[in-house]
Coordinates of all heavy atoms in Angstrom, one line a residue:
L1 N 71.7 106.8 109.1 CA 72.5 106.2 108.2 C 72.2 106.9 106.8 O 71.1 107.3 106.5 CB 72.3 104.7 107.9 CG 72.8 103.9 109.2 CD1 72.4 102.4 108.9 CD2 74.2 104.0 109.4
V2 N 73.2 107.0 105.9 CA 73.1 107.7 104.5 C 73.5 106.6 103.6 O 74.6 106.0 103.6 CB 74.0 108.8 104.6 CG1 73.9 109.5 103.2 CG2 73.7 109.9 105.6
D3 N 72.7 106.5 102.5 CA 72.9 105.8 101.4 C 73.8 106.5 100.4 O 73.7 107.6 100.1 CB 71.8 105.3 100.6 CG 70.9 104.2 101.5 OD1 71.6 103.5 102.2 OD2 69.8 104.1 101.2
V4 N 75.0 105.9 100.0 CA 75.8 106.5 99.0 C 76.0 105.6 97.8 O 76.4 104.3 98.0 CB 77.3 106.8 99.7 CG1 78.2 107.3 98.8 CG2 77.1 107.6 100.9
A5 N 75.9 106.2 96.7 CA 76.0 105.5 95.4 C 77.5 105.6 95.0 O 78.1 106.6 94.8 CB 75.1 106.1 94.3
L6 N 78.1 104.4 94.9 CA 79.6 104.4 94.5 C 79.6 104.1 93.0 O 78.8 103.2 92.5 CB 80.3 103.4 95.3 CG 80.4 103.7 96.8 CD1 81.1 102.4 97.5 CD2 81.1 104.9 97.1
P7 N 80.6 104.7 92.3 CA 80.8 104.3 90.9 C 81.2 103.0 90.7 O 82.0 102.5 91.5 CB 81.7 105.4 90.4 CG 82.5 105.8 91.6 CD 81.5 105.7 92.7
T8 N 80.9 102.3 89.6 CA 81.4 101.0 89.2 C 82.8 101.2 89.0 O 83.4 102.1 88.3 CB 80.6 100.5 88.0 OG1 79.3 100.5 88.2 CG2 81.2 99.1 87.7
A9 N 83.7 100.2 89.5 CA 85.1 100.2 89.4 C 85.6 99.0 88.7 O 85.0 98.0 88.7 CB 85.8 100.5 90.7
V10 N 86.9 99.1 88.1 CA 87.5 97.9 87.6 C 88.9 97.9 88.4 O 89.4 98.9 88.8 CB 87.7 97.9 86.2 CG1 86.4 97.7 85.5 CG2 88.5 99.1 85.8
Q11 N 89.4 96.7 88.5 CA 90.7 96.6 89.3 C 91.8 96.3 88.3 O 91.7 95.5 87.5 CB 90.7 95.4 90.2 CG 91.9 95.2 91.0 CD 91.8 94.1 92.1 OE1 91.1 94.2 93.0 NE2 92.4 93.0 91.8
L12 N 92.8 97.0 88.4 CA 94.2 96.9 87.7 C 95.1 96.5 88.6 O 95.3 97.0 89.7 CB 94.5 98.2 86.9 CG 93.5 98.8 86.0 CD1 94.1 100.1 85.5 CD2 93.3 97.9 84.8
S13 N 95.9 95.4 88.2 CA 96.9 94.8 89.1 C 98.2 94.6 88.3 O 98.0 94.3 87.1 CB 96.4 93.8 90.0 OG 96.0 92.7 89.2
G14 N 99.2 94.5 88.9 CA 100.4 93.9 88.3 C 101.6 93.9 89.2 O 101.4 94.0 90.5
R15 N 102.8 93.8 88.6 CA 104.0 93.7 89.5 C 105.1 94.6 88.8 O 105.3 94.5 87.5 CB 104.5 92.2 89.4 CG 105.7 91.9 90.3 CD 106.1 90.5 90.3 NE 107.2 90.2 91.2 CZ 108.4 90.1 90.6 NH1 108.7 90.2 89.4 NH2 109.5 89.9 91.5
V16 N 105.7 95.3 89.6 CA 106.8 96.1 89.2 C 108.3 95.4 89.4 O 108.5 94.9 90.5 CB 106.9 97.6 89.9 CG1 108.0 98.4 89.3 CG2 105.6 98.2 89.7
A17 N 109.1 95.3 88.3 CA 110.3 94.4 88.6 C 111.4 95.0 87.6 O 111.1 95.7 86.6 CB 110.0 93.1 88.0
R18 N 112.5 94.9 88.0 CA 113.7 95.4 87.2 C 113.7 94.5 85.9 O 113.4 93.3 85.9 CB 115.0 94.9 88.0 CG 115.0 95.8 89.2 CD 116.4 95.8 89.8 NE 116.5 96.4 91.1 CZ 116.4 97.8 91.3 NH1 116.3 98.7 90.1 NH2 116.4 98.4 92.4
S19 N 114.1 95.2 84.8 CA 114.1 94.5 83.4 C 115.2 93.6 83.4 O 115.0 92.6 82.6 CB 114.4 95.8 82.5 OG 115.5 96.4 82.6
V20 N 116.3 93.7 84.1 CA 117.3 92.7 84.2 C 117.2 91.9 85.4 O 117.3 92.5 86.3 CB 118.7 93.3 84.0 CG1 119.7 92.3 84.0 CG2 118.7 94.2 82.7
G21 N 117.0 90.6 85.3 CA 117.0 89.8 86.6 C 115.6 89.6 87.1 O 115.2 88.7 87.8
G22 N 114.7 90.5 86.9 CA 113.3 90.4 87.3 C 113.0 90.7 88.9 O 112.0 90.3 89.3
A23 N 114.0 91.2 89.5 CA 113.8 91.5 91.0 C 112.7 92.5 91.2 O 112.6 93.5 90.5 CB 115.2 92.0 91.6
A24 N 112.0 92.2 92.2 CA 110.8 93.1 92.6 C 111.3 94.5 93.1 O 112.3 94.6 93.6 CB 109.9 92.5 93.7
I25 N 110.5 95.5 92.7 CA 110.8 96.9 93.1 C 109.8 97.3 94.1 O 108.6 97.4 93.7 CB 110.8 97.8 91.9 CG1 111.9 97.4 90.9 CG2 111.0 99.2 92.3 CD1 112.0 98.2 89.7
S26 N 110.1 97.4 95.3 CA 109.2 97.8 96.5 C 109.2 99.3 96.5 O 110.1 100.0 96.3 CB 109.8 97.3 97.7 OG 109.1 97.7 98.8
G27 N 107.9 99.9 96.8 CA 107.8 101.2 97.0 C 107.7 102.1 95.7 O 107.8 103.3 95.7
A28 N 107.5 101.5 94.5 CA 107.4 102.2 93.3 C 106.0 102.9 93.3 O 105.0 102.2 93.7 CB 107.5 101.2 92.2
V29 N 105.9 104.1 92.8 CA 104.6 104.8 92.8 C 104.1 104.6 91.4 O 104.7 104.9 90.3 CB 104.7 106.3 93.1 CG1 103.4 106.9 92.9 CG2 105.3 106.5 94.4
I30 N 102.9 104.0 91.3 CA 102.2 103.7 90.1 C 101.0 104.7 90.0 O 100.2 104.8 90.9 CB 101.6 102.3 90.1 CG1 102.8 101.3 90.0 CG2 100.9 102.1 88.6 CD1 103.1 100.8 91.3
T31 N 100.9 105.6 88.9 CA 99.9 106.6 88.8 C 99.2 106.5 87.4 O 99.9 106.3 86.4 CB 100.5 108.0 88.9 OG1 101.4 108.1 90.1 CG2 99.5 109.1 88.8
L32 N 97.9 106.4 87.5 CA 97.1 106.4 86.2 C 96.5 107.6 85.9 O 95.8 108.3 86.7 CB 96.0 105.2 86.4 CG 95.1 105.0 85.3 CD1 95.8 104.3 84.2 CD2 94.0 104.1 85.6
Y33 N 96.7 108.1 84.7 CA 96.1 109.4 84.1 C 95.0 109.0 83.1 O 95.1 107.9 82.4 CB 97.1 110.2 83.6 CG 98.1 110.9 84.6 CD1 99.3 110.2 84.9 CD2 97.8 111.9 85.3 CE1 100.1 110.6 85.8 CE2 98.6 112.5 86.3 CZ 99.8 111.9 86.5 OH 100.5 112.3 87.5
C34 N 94.2 109.9 82.7 CA 93.0 109.8 81.8 C 93.7 110.1 80.4 O 94.1 111.4 80.1 CB 91.9 110.6 82.1 SG 90.7 110.5 80.8
S35 N 93.8 109.2 79.5 CA 94.4 109.6 78.1 C 93.4 110.3 77.2 O 93.8 110.9 76.3 CB 94.9 108.2 77.4 OG 93.9 107.4 77.2
G36 N 92.1 110.1 77.6 CA 91.1 110.7 76.7 C 90.6 112.1 77.3 O 89.7 112.7 76.6
C37 N 91.2 112.6 78.4 CA 90.7 113.8 79.0 C 91.5 115.0 78.5 O 92.7 114.8 78.0 CB 90.9 113.7 80.6 SG 90.0 112.5 81.3
G38 N 91.0 116.2 78.6 CA 91.7 117.3 78.2 C 91.8 118.3 79.3 O 91.1 118.1 80.4
G39 N 92.6 119.3 79.2 CA 92.6 120.5 80.2 C 93.2 119.9 81.5 O 93.9 119.0 81.6
I40 N 92.6 120.5 82.5 CA 93.1 120.1 83.9 C 92.8 118.6 84.4 O 93.7 118.1 85.0 CB 92.5 121.1 85.0 CG1 93.2 121.0 86.3 CG2 91.1 120.9 85.2 CD1 94.5 121.6 86.4
A41 N 91.8 118.1 83.7 CA 91.4 116.7 84.1 C 92.5 115.9 83.6 O 92.7 114.8 84.2 CB 90.1 116.4 83.4
A42 N 93.2 116.1 82.6 CA 94.2 115.2 82.0 C 95.4 115.3 82.9 O 96.3 114.4 82.9 CB 94.7 115.7 80.6
Q43 N 95.6 116.3 83.8 CA 96.7 116.4 84.7 C 96.5 115.8 86.1 O 97.4 115.7 86.9 CB 97.1 117.8 84.9 CG 97.5 118.5 83.5 CD 97.7 120.0 83.7 OE1 97.8 120.6 84.8 NE2 97.6 120.7 82.6
R44 N 95.3 115.5 86.4 CA 94.8 114.9 87.6 C 94.9 113.4 87.5 O 94.4 112.7 86.7 CB 93.5 115.3 88.0 CG 93.4 116.7 88.4 CD 92.0 116.8 89.1 NE 91.6 118.3 88.9 CZ 90.4 118.7 88.4 NH1 89.5 117.8 87.9 NH2 90.2 119.9 88.1
P45 N 95.6 112.7 88.5 CA 95.6 111.2 88.5 C 94.3 110.7 88.8 O 93.4 111.3 89.5 CB 96.6 110.8 89.6 CG 97.3 112.2 89.9 CD 96.4 113.2 89.6
I46 N 93.9 109.6 88.1 CA 92.7 108.8 88.3 C 92.9 107.9 89.6 O 91.9 107.8 90.3 CB 92.3 108.0 87.1 CG1 92.0 108.8 86.0 CG2 91.0 107.1 87.4 CD1 91.7 108.2 84.7
A47 N 94.0 107.3 89.7 CA 94.3 106.4 90.7 C 95.8 106.4 91.0 O 96.7 106.5 90.0 CB 93.8 105.0 90.6
T48 N 96.2 106.1 92.1 CA 97.6 106.0 92.6 C 97.8 104.8 93.5 O 97.0 104.6 94.4 CB 98.2 107.3 93.1 OG1 98.0 108.3 92.3 CG2 99.7 107.1 93.5
A49 N 98.8 104.1 93.4 CA 99.2 102.9 94.3 C 100.7 102.9 94.5 O 101.5 103.5 93.7 CB 98.6 101.6 93.7
V50 N 101.2 102.2 95.6 CA 102.5 102.0 95.8 C 102.8 100.5 95.8 O 102.0 99.7 96.4 CB 102.9 102.6 97.2 CG1 104.4 102.4 97.5 CG2 102.7 104.3 97.1
S51 N 103.8 100.0 95.2 CA 104.0 98.6 95.1 C 104.5 98.1 96.4 O 105.3 98.7 97.2 CB 105.2 98.3 94.0 OG 106.4 98.8 94.4
A52 N 104.1 96.8 96.6 CA 104.4 96.1 97.9 C 105.9 95.6 97.9 O 106.6 95.6 96.9 CB 103.5 95.0 98.1
P53 N 106.4 95.0 99.0 CA 107.8 94.5 99.0 C 108.0 93.6 97.9 O 109.1 93.4 97.5 CB 107.9 94.0 100.3 CG 107.0 94.9 101.3 CD 105.8 95.1 100.4
V54 N 107.0 92.7 97.5 CA 107.1 91.8 96.4 C 106.9 92.5 95.0 O 106.9 91.7 94.0 CB 106.3 90.6 96.6 CG1 106.7 89.8 97.8 CG2 104.8 91.0 96.8
G55 N 106.7 93.8 95.0 CA 106.5 94.5 93.7 C 105.1 94.5 93.2 O 104.8 95.3 92.2
T56 N 104.2 93.8 94.0 CA 102.7 93.8 93.4 C 102.1 95.2 93.7 O 102.4 95.9 94.7 CB 102.0 92.8 94.0 OG1 102.0 92.8 95.4 CG2 102.7 91.5 93.5
F57 N 101.1 95.5 92.9 CA 100.3 96.7 93.2 C 98.7 96.4 92.7 O 98.6 95.5 91.9 CB 100.7 97.9 92.5 CG 100.8 97.9 91.0 CD1 99.6 98.4 90.3 CD2 101.8 97.4 90.2 CE1 99.5 98.4 89.0 CE2 101.7 97.4 88.9 CZ 100.5 97.7 88.2
R58 N 97.9 97.2 93.3 CA 96.5 97.1 92.7 C 95.9 98.6 92.8 O 96.0 99.3 93.7 CB 95.6 96.3 93.9 CG 94.8 95.3 93.3 CD 94.1 94.6 94.2 NE 94.8 94.1 95.4 CZ 94.6 93.2 96.3 NH1 93.4 92.5 96.1 NH2 95.3 92.9 97.2
L59 N 95.2 98.7 91.7 CA 94.5 100.1 91.5 C 93.0 99.8 91.2 O 92.6 98.9 90.5 CB 94.9 100.8 90.4 CG 96.4 101.4 90.3 CD1 96.8 101.8 88.9 CD2 96.6 102.4 91.3
A60 N 92.1 100.5 91.9 CA 90.7 100.5 91.7 C 90.3 101.7 90.9 O 90.7 102.9 91.5 CB 89.8 100.4 92.9
V61 N 89.8 101.6 89.7 CA 89.6 102.8 88.8 C 88.1 102.9 88.4 O 87.5 101.7 88.3 CB 90.6 102.9 87.6 CG1 92.0 103.1 88.3 CG2 90.5 101.8 86.8
P62 N 87.5 104.0 88.1 CA 86.2 104.1 87.6 C 86.2 103.3 86.2 O 87.1 103.3 85.4 CB 86.0 105.5 87.3 CG 86.9 106.2 88.1 CD 88.2 105.3 88.3
D63 N 85.0 102.5 86.1 CA 84.8 101.7 84.9 C 84.7 102.6 83.7 O 83.6 103.4 83.8 CB 83.7 100.7 85.0 CG 83.5 99.9 83.8 OD1 83.9 100.1 82.7 OD2 82.8 98.8 84.1
P64 N 85.4 102.7 82.6 CA 85.1 103.6 81.6 C 84.0 103.3 80.7 O 83.4 104.2 80.1 CB 86.4 103.6 80.7 CG 87.0 102.2 81.1 CD 86.6 101.9 82.5
G65 N 83.4 102.2 80.9 CA 82.2 101.9 80.2 C 81.0 102.1 80.8 O 79.8 101.8 80.4
V66 N 81.0 102.7 82.1 CA 79.8 102.9 82.9 C 79.8 104.4 83.3 O 80.7 105.0 83.7 CB 79.8 102.2 84.2 CG1 78.6 102.4 85.1 CG2 79.8 100.7 83.9
A67 N 78.5 105.0 83.1 CA 78.4 106.5 83.4 C 78.4 106.6 84.9 O 77.8 105.7 85.6 CB 77.2 107.0 82.8
S68 N 78.9 107.7 85.3 CA 78.9 107.9 86.9 C 77.4 108.2 87.4 O 76.7 108.8 86.5 CB 79.7 109.1 87.2 OG 81.0 108.8 86.8
P69 N 77.2 107.8 88.6 CA 75.7 108.0 89.0 C 75.4 109.5 89.2 O 76.3 110.3 89.4 CB 75.7 107.3 90.4 CG 77.0 107.0 90.8 CD 77.9 107.1 89.6

């Protein structure tokens, strides 16, 4: 067995819905980018999710307040 140190993460979640009527949007792609990064790092997604049939999504992203191991 091998021990692996995983970075601390935070969970972001939400619901994608139409602005008129509030109907859920299934299959929407949610992508998170680093706003404080520069160069190629700014172009790479930190996390991506696809909304469920009820419009909900969940992303696990590195905690910005914790240094990576």
Side-chain angles (χ1 to χ4, degrees):
L1 296 175
V2 176
D3 289 332
V4 177
L6 298 175
T8 302
V10 294
Q11 179 177 290
L12 300 175
S13 61
R15 181 174 181 267
V16 183
R18 298 197 182 280
S19 59
V20 176
I25 299 177
S26 175
V29 177
I30 299 89
T31 306
L32 181 69
Y33 292 92
C34 176
S35 64
C37 295
I40 192 77
Q43 299 172 20
R44 285 192 209 125
I46 294 173
T48 302
V50 177
S51 63
V54 293
T56 57
F57 68 90
R58 217 179 328 195
L59 296 168
V61 298
D63 186 341
V66 176
S68 296

